[in-house]
Structures are given as C-alpha cells and as structure tokens.
Amino acid sequence: MAQNIKGHDNHRRDIVVIDIPKPANFTGGLEFNALTYTVTKKQKVEGAWESQEVDLLHQIGGYAPKGSITAVMGPSGAGKSTLLDALAGRIASGSLMGRVFLDGAEMSPSLIKRTSAYIMQEDRLFPMLTVYETLMFAADFRLGSISTADKKQRVEKLIEQLGLSSARNTYIGDEGNRGVSGGERRRVSIGVDIIHGPSLLFLDEPTSGLDSTSAHSVIEKVHDIARSGSTVILTIHQPSSRILLLLDHLIVLARGQLMFQGPPKDVTGHLGRMGRKVPAGENSLEYLIDVIQEYDQSHVGVEALAEFARTGVKPAKLTEGEGDVSVSTAAVVTPPPPSRLAAVAGGGDDRDQGGKSGNNNKRLYLKASRDVSVVDDFDHSVRSAYHSPSRSWTASHNGVVQKLKFTPPPPRNNLQYPMSSSSPGYYAYSSEILPHTPTPQSSDYTVNEHDYMTPGLVDHSNIDYGPKFANSFFPETLTLIRRNFINIGRTPELFLSRLVVLAVMGFMMATMFKDPPQTLQGITNRISFFIFTVCLFFFSSNDAIPAFIQERFVFVRETSHNAYRASTYTIAGLLTYLPFLALQAIVYALIVWFALKLRGSFLYFYVVLYVSLLSTNSFVVFVSSVVPNYILGYAAVIAFTALFFLFCGYFLSGHDIPWYWKWMNKISTMTYPYEGLLMNEYQTTDMFGRSNPDGKPVTGQNVLESLGIDTDLGSNKKWENVLIMLGWAVLYRVLFYLVLRFASKNQRT
C-alpha cells in the first residue's frame, strides 16, 4: 500500500510499502516498514553554506521476533540509536515516515509507549533510594491497580530475577555517595522499566561503560526477559563473543541504510553470497563491519551493500587501488530476501545519508507493468525463508499508484520457491493517491490516535491497550510526595543550609539594625533592612537550580512511558516545598521581629516572607526547567535578580521610573514584598524622626509618600501585594508545568 507522506520539508514523497517477508517460524513481534527520517543540515559547498536534506534513516524495514533479542549494530554514525528512537516512538510524528506493527496491529507512538519500556544509555535514578525502594516506587507508578502485597511480591521476584538480592538494601549512589556497582545499577534501570511486564523492551547501549563480566551479566538477564515472552530490541556497538551467543536476531546498519538482517549464524553465508570469505579465526560479524567500512571509504559507498541486502545484486568488487570497479548494470528484479522490506519508486528522489544522488545503475526501480518476470541468484537457504513466491508490491510514478505482481522464476538446479495457494498472485490497479497522511503533533502527550492509523488495515476499536496512566490523579500525587520526602530526608543539606543561612543572617541583621535613631538616617537604615531581607530571601532559593536540573533527567525517563503525569509531578513538588519554606520564614521572622521591635502585624510580616519565598522558589524552578545546565541556570537567575532589584522601587520610586520601564517595576517579584514590608511598618501616623534642618516630625505616611507608596491607612493595598505574589507563584508553576509537558521530552524533532 502506498502512502503519500508529507514531511517536515513540505514536499511529497512516494513510499512503497511491501509486505514484510518473515521466516516461517515467525510467531509475532515488532515489524517496521519503510522507516525514513530526514533532517536538514547546513553543509559547505564550494565555499557557501547550503541547506541539504540528509536521511538519517533511509527506507529501513525489518522485524524483531517475540521472545528473542534483536541487536541493532553497525559502525559509528550508522543510525542505531536513531532507529531505536523511531521504533520506540521517540521521534516526532511529523518527522518520521513509515509504519510500525506489533503482532500485526499498526501502532502509533503513543500506543507504543503504553506497551513498551525504554532503557536509556545513562542510568537516571535517585541516588539516595535503595534498590528495593527504587523498584517499589516503580511498581507504585506502573502497577496502580494491584494491592501493595502483590507489588512487594513482584518486586522481590524481580530482584531475584535480576540478581540483585545482595544489593537489595544498598543505595543506588552517585559520584559523591557510594552505592551499587555499575552493572547492578544498569540492572536496576532495566528493572524499573520492566516492572509492569512490557511486551516491548528497548535498550540503548546497555553495556556501555561496563566491564566484560558486568556487560555479559546484563545481557544474560535481558536474555531471560526475552525468553519470558517480551520482544527485546537493543543497540550494541561491539559485543564480545560470549554476548554474541545470546543474540538471536541482528539488524546491521550503515549510514542509515540496511546492510544485513537475520540470525548471527547467517552472517557468514551473507558474506559468501557477496563474494567475501571470512578469514580463518576471525569473527564473521566483525568482518562484515570491516567490509562495510571498506565500501564506505571507497567511491562506491555503502549503497551497493544496501542494494545487495535488498535485491541480491552483488556489489561492485573493490580493486586494491580503487581504480576499476566492476558494476553490474543488469536491470533485474529479484525476489526480496527477508531483509528486503521496502523500495523507493518513482521521482528519482534517491539520496544517501550524505545527501548525494544515487547511481541509477546501482539502484532498483520497479517498472509499472502487470507482470514482471524475474530471475534470482539466491541459494536455497534464502529461498526457503519465504512464505509465498507470488508476491505483490506497490509502485508510484508521477502520482499514480500501481500494484505490481511478482512471478517466481522457473526452477533452476532443482531448487524451487515454496508455493502458497492462499496468495492471490495479483492486485487490481489503483489510480489515486491514498489520503490520511500522518499529522505532525506538537506533543506525544496529546496524541490523537486516529491521526496515525491507516484506515482499513487494522481495526483498533477492539484492542484494549489499557489506561494511559496506571494510577488516578490523587494516589499518584501522594506517591510522588512520599518519594520527595524520602529524598529530602536523606539529603537534608539543601534545606538545612538555607535554614542555617537565614538564621545566621537574621541574627546579624538583628544586631546591626537594632534601635535605629529617630532621624532620617534611622529611617534610611530601616528601609535598608527591608530591601536586604527581600534580596536575601530571593537568593536563598538559588541552590534549587542544580537540584532540579539533576532530577529533570529522572523525570524525562519516567514520564517517557507514562509512569506519571507532569501535572501531578508539579503539584507534588509544590506541596513538598510548602512546610520547609514555612519553617525558613518563621525562623527568620522570629529572630528579627522582636529584636528590631518592628511595627505593624507580625502575621502579615510572616506571610509576606513566606509568600516571597514561595514565589521566588517557583521562579527559580521554572528557570531551571528551561536552561540546559546549572551554569546557565545560575547566570539567568543572577541576571533576573539584578533586573528585579533595579526596578523594585528602592533606587527609584515607582513614580520616578521612566514610563518606558514602568512595566519592569510591575513584573519584578521584589516590588511587592518590598512595598508590603514598608507598608506594614510605616502605614501609620506615628512619628519616626525629625527632618533636617527644620526639625519637622516625619510620620510613617510621610515615609511612604516619599517612596511613592500608598499612604491610605484604610487601604488593602498591602494584602493586594500578597495576592499578586501568590499570582506570580502560580504563574511560574504553570509555566513550569507547560515546559515539563511539552518541552522536557526525550524525543527527536
């Protein structure tokens, strides 16, 4: 079936989708067809920078059998992780072309998320949780419908299955805290994502950074998981011979194109049909990679090997001096081997990963005719992999979709293709471009499932993929709050350091600004105390920047497969901070209020400090969700702090600030606590000193009037300031939530 798919470059591409040929013993698993991922890159051509399209994946098709380990391999830059991301639904739908099936049902990125788990190359775990606690929280998030006793039983069984019994009560650890070993940490990461028994398991370089023994142990556990009925797909760069024995199915890529697909034992035969004999004592897979690199470094390119994998046409032989290259120009159409899954037809839009036009003499283009006679040059092992000799596929040329029939060749050397009476042998013509192209989505959290489905292929109405999230809103929030309190309790330095700083600074302020004189200088000193208090509370939350940036990686990993909602994470984080912020504010308020004999309402003084901390904390958390690292986070917060301080009304009153900068006074989060503290102190007719040189009394109203602040004794302006601060706190948390939901995804665009 042909699809006219609109990519990110707004031009049309005709993709020919061919039935995936699979071995006769294929009983289900993941199938993918014509996966193409094109990006635009700047390249320098003859001294000028030009935008060129590059296929990171080019018409990749294949399958991953259920109950087996499928390893995606290839040289560096081959597209291994890109293919894994494409299969796992981690590429934006508008950027990826092609289709993915699970047990015969076409899947969208959102549906794949519900039925799969993705283990990243880096182990993103909370360092101060034990192995048991980490897996138990994973069970709470992913197994919300079962009882706590059943969750504990499943966790205990998983710990035993992963060989983590001796590390059960050991902290995960990090660079500064001793914990489990690297191999154990990797197995914990796997356990976190398989606790709910996913049918699909993706692993990106699971052996990276591990010694050979730990790497073999990890793959051995993954092998056991696959044998339990899961479909496992992983990327691996250079497996050892012991690990290679545990791999069931290989997909070898180079420059985004398929080089080989099949079991490891078939690599030798694949090289033999290519005309390459594996040297004695050498690993056949490593030799295949060497051959791929030889062609990649030659002027022939890896396209010849990709053509051989698709059609069986032998690649050109490389001479020692790279002088003469024997190129076969026979325009034959041969039956596709198991790795032959898709072909590009029509339009001549045939580019390799480097953006170069392909050689038509080395490319296979399907002709628009009802019957195509073909000849083959495959051995018996390849032919026996087919279900049916009578196959059909679709070609498109100049916007017209054509159905083509494959007619098997006559027997040769007493070898025949296995016949199938169920195959119709031909299909009717269709002269229309099929509608319903994929719709690019701004976020895979708001996916419309029907935008991804090709009508008429599979009825998804009767398929139950379960709820998107395992828990309802409130239990999920409570679980997140409980985990937050455990992490804070085991890393108390963050809040204790803030508390100590505020207590020490409060003591210093109480001794420095005690008993101000009844003069204008005394009033100035008291105003200086208030502005310093506001700045102190603003800066006290800056240390939350690296804490959240580190936690953000865990959030991305856990929410990439719907462990919990971004909204519950946001609310849980806010509720967790509230008691600690209240404690910080009350300690400082008690120290300075009585020592400095401040006027007004102590309750209001405390509320202003508390809400100021809340709004400042929300601002810092929002900034830390936007910046890529804590260095830029600190720089951004310091820059905004300087701007807020400049326009808060201390240096220039609100009336004296130029009209074109008044908006800065309104958005400064320091303006409202500063004015609120001044109004609480000076919104009175009491005298605070005498002016010089006439000695007239200066009342609180005179002070506020000179600062351009409301002097009405019956005004509710000071409580309005509290509400505005609360509004800023809510706004920053909403922005934080929006960033988490729509921007903090481990997904390619």
Side-chain angles (χ1 to χ4, degrees), residues 366-378:
L366 306 181
K367 303 298 182 181
S369 60
R370 288 183 180 269
D371 295 293
V372 181
S373 297
V374 299
V375 295
D376 86 299
D377 192 26
F378 300 127

PDB file of all heavy atoms in Angstrom, residues 366-378:
ATOM      1  N   LEU A 366      11.214  -0.144  -9.707  1.00  0.00           N
ATOM      2  CA  LEU A 366      10.164  -1.056 -10.146  1.00  0.00           C
ATOM      3  C   LEU A 366       9.426  -0.467 -11.334  1.00  0.00           C
ATOM      4  O   LEU A 366       9.049   0.695 -11.321  1.00  0.00           O
ATOM      5  CB  LEU A 366       9.182  -1.294  -8.984  1.00  0.00           C
ATOM      6  CG  LEU A 366       9.826  -1.778  -7.695  1.00  0.00           C
ATOM      7  CD1 LEU A 366       8.759  -2.001  -6.648  1.00  0.00           C
ATOM      8  CD2 LEU A 366      10.616  -3.046  -7.937  1.00  0.00           C
ATOM      9  N   LYS A 367       9.205  -1.264 -12.330  1.00  0.00           N
ATOM     10  CA  LYS A 367       8.518  -0.808 -13.529  1.00  0.00           C
ATOM     11  C   LYS A 367       7.014  -1.003 -13.378  1.00  0.00           C
ATOM     12  O   LYS A 367       6.550  -1.968 -12.803  1.00  0.00           O
ATOM     13  CB  LYS A 367       9.016  -1.588 -14.754  1.00  0.00           C
ATOM     14  CG  LYS A 367      10.528  -1.490 -14.967  1.00  0.00           C
ATOM     15  CD  LYS A 367      10.972  -0.068 -15.228  1.00  0.00           C
ATOM     16  CE  LYS A 367      12.467   0.005 -15.496  1.00  0.00           C
ATOM     17  NZ  LYS A 367      12.926   1.374 -15.731  1.00  0.00           N
ATOM     18  N   ALA A 368       6.249  -0.073 -13.950  1.00  0.00           N
ATOM     19  CA  ALA A 368       4.794  -0.123 -13.827  1.00  0.00           C
ATOM     20  C   ALA A 368       4.212  -1.046 -14.894  1.00  0.00           C
ATOM     21  O   ALA A 368       3.791  -0.621 -15.958  1.00  0.00           O
ATOM     22  CB  ALA A 368       4.205   1.276 -13.973  1.00  0.00           C
ATOM     23  N   SER A 369       4.221  -2.326 -14.603  1.00  0.00           N
ATOM     24  CA  SER A 369       3.657  -3.308 -15.525  1.00  0.00           C
ATOM     25  C   SER A 369       2.924  -4.365 -14.722  1.00  0.00           C
ATOM     26  O   SER A 369       3.202  -4.584 -13.554  1.00  0.00           O
ATOM     27  CB  SER A 369       4.761  -3.944 -16.364  1.00  0.00           C
ATOM     28  OG  SER A 369       5.696  -4.581 -15.534  1.00  0.00           O
ATOM     29  N   ARG A 370       1.985  -5.055 -15.383  1.00  0.00           N
ATOM     30  CA  ARG A 370       1.166  -6.017 -14.655  1.00  0.00           C
ATOM     31  C   ARG A 370       1.978  -7.247 -14.257  1.00  0.00           C
ATOM     32  O   ARG A 370       1.777  -7.804 -13.189  1.00  0.00           O
ATOM     33  CB  ARG A 370      -0.023  -6.451 -15.518  1.00  0.00           C
ATOM     34  CG  ARG A 370      -1.074  -5.372 -15.670  1.00  0.00           C
ATOM     35  CD  ARG A 370      -2.247  -5.893 -16.478  1.00  0.00           C
ATOM     36  NE  ARG A 370      -3.263  -4.869 -16.643  1.00  0.00           N
ATOM     37  CZ  ARG A 370      -4.279  -4.693 -15.827  1.00  0.00           C
ATOM     38  NH1 ARG A 370      -4.399  -5.449 -14.761  1.00  0.00           N
ATOM     39  NH2 ARG A 370      -5.166  -3.746 -16.039  1.00  0.00           N
ATOM     40  N   ASP A 371       2.855  -7.688 -15.081  1.00  0.00           N
ATOM     41  CA  ASP A 371       3.649  -8.877 -14.786  1.00  0.00           C
ATOM     42  C   ASP A 371       5.122  -8.548 -14.967  1.00  0.00           C
ATOM     43  O   ASP A 371       5.517  -7.984 -15.972  1.00  0.00           O
ATOM     44  CB  ASP A 371       3.284 -10.038 -15.706  1.00  0.00           C
ATOM     45  CG  ASP A 371       1.860 -10.495 -15.473  1.00  0.00           C
ATOM     46  OD1 ASP A 371       1.597 -11.030 -14.372  1.00  0.00           O
ATOM     47  OD2 ASP A 371       1.027 -10.301 -16.365  1.00  0.00           O
ATOM     48  N   VAL A 372       5.890  -8.904 -13.989  1.00  0.00           N
ATOM     49  CA  VAL A 372       7.325  -8.673 -14.055  1.00  0.00           C
ATOM     50  C   VAL A 372       8.023 -10.004 -13.865  1.00  0.00           C
ATOM     51  O   VAL A 372       7.932 -10.611 -12.796  1.00  0.00           O
ATOM     52  CB  VAL A 372       7.787  -7.677 -12.965  1.00  0.00           C
ATOM     53  CG1 VAL A 372       9.285  -7.450 -13.085  1.00  0.00           C
ATOM     54  CG2 VAL A 372       7.041  -6.361 -13.121  1.00  0.00           C
ATOM     55  N   SER A 373       8.662 -10.485 -14.899  1.00  0.00           N
ATOM     56  CA  SER A 373       9.415 -11.729 -14.774  1.00  0.00           C
ATOM     57  C   SER A 373      10.765 -11.412 -14.169  1.00  0.00           C
ATOM     58  O   SER A 373      11.378 -10.410 -14.482  1.00  0.00           O
ATOM     59  CB  SER A 373       9.601 -12.378 -16.146  1.00  0.00           C
ATOM     60  OG  SER A 373       8.342 -12.729 -16.680  1.00  0.00           O
ATOM     61  N   VAL A 374      11.189 -12.270 -13.321  1.00  0.00           N
ATOM     62  CA  VAL A 374      12.433 -12.009 -12.617  1.00  0.00           C
ATOM     63  C   VAL A 374      13.296 -13.245 -12.635  1.00  0.00           C
ATOM     64  O   VAL A 374      12.851 -14.353 -12.908  1.00  0.00           O
ATOM     65  CB  VAL A 374      12.155 -11.604 -11.147  1.00  0.00           C
ATOM     66  CG1 VAL A 374      11.338 -10.352 -11.093  1.00  0.00           C
ATOM     67  CG2 VAL A 374      11.446 -12.719 -10.409  1.00  0.00           C
ATOM     68  N   VAL A 375      14.556 -13.016 -12.381  1.00  0.00           N
ATOM     69  CA  VAL A 375      15.494 -14.107 -12.209  1.00  0.00           C
ATOM     70  C   VAL A 375      16.117 -13.944 -10.859  1.00  0.00           C
ATOM     71  O   VAL A 375      16.176 -12.849 -10.320  1.00  0.00           O
ATOM     72  CB  VAL A 375      16.570 -14.102 -13.312  1.00  0.00           C
ATOM     73  CG1 VAL A 375      15.967 -14.361 -14.676  1.00  0.00           C
ATOM     74  CG2 VAL A 375      17.337 -12.791 -13.297  1.00  0.00           C
ATOM     75  N   ASP A 376      16.569 -15.033 -10.289  1.00  0.00           N
ATOM     76  CA  ASP A 376      17.153 -14.925  -8.958  1.00  0.00           C
ATOM     77  C   ASP A 376      18.540 -15.521  -8.959  1.00  0.00           C
ATOM     78  O   ASP A 376      18.900 -16.301  -9.823  1.00  0.00           O
ATOM     79  CB  ASP A 376      16.290 -15.620  -7.908  1.00  0.00           C
ATOM     80  CG  ASP A 376      16.603 -17.089  -7.812  1.00  0.00           C
ATOM     81  OD1 ASP A 376      16.432 -17.774  -8.832  1.00  0.00           O
ATOM     82  OD2 ASP A 376      17.020 -17.527  -6.725  1.00  0.00           O
ATOM     83  N   ASP A 377      19.275 -15.121  -7.952  1.00  0.00           N
ATOM     84  CA  ASP A 377      20.631 -15.625  -7.801  1.00  0.00           C
ATOM     85  C   ASP A 377      20.889 -15.953  -6.344  1.00  0.00           C
ATOM     86  O   ASP A 377      21.972 -15.700  -5.829  1.00  0.00           O
ATOM     87  CB  ASP A 377      21.633 -14.589  -8.311  1.00  0.00           C
ATOM     88  CG  ASP A 377      23.030 -15.171  -8.448  1.00  0.00           C
ATOM     89  OD1 ASP A 377      23.131 -16.392  -8.628  1.00  0.00           O
ATOM     90  OD2 ASP A 377      24.003 -14.396  -8.374  1.00  0.00           O
ATOM     91  N   PHE A 378      19.862 -16.493  -5.667  1.00  0.00           N
ATOM     92  CA  PHE A 378      19.980 -16.781  -4.251  1.00  0.00           C
ATOM     93  C   PHE A 378      20.111 -18.287  -4.040  1.00  0.00           C
ATOM     94  O   PHE A 378      19.644 -19.090  -4.842  1.00  0.00           O
ATOM     95  CB  PHE A 378      18.745 -16.291  -3.486  1.00  0.00           C
ATOM     96  CG  PHE A 378      18.546 -14.817  -3.614  1.00  0.00           C
ATOM     97  CD1 PHE A 378      17.338 -14.302  -4.038  1.00  0.00           C
ATOM     98  CD2 PHE A 378      19.584 -13.944  -3.323  1.00  0.00           C
ATOM     99  CE1 PHE A 378      17.171 -12.948  -4.159  1.00  0.00           C
ATOM    100  CE2 PHE A 378      19.408 -12.588  -3.436  1.00  0.00           C
ATOM    101  CZ  PHE A 378      18.207 -12.082  -3.859  1.00  0.00           C
TER     102      PHE A 378
END
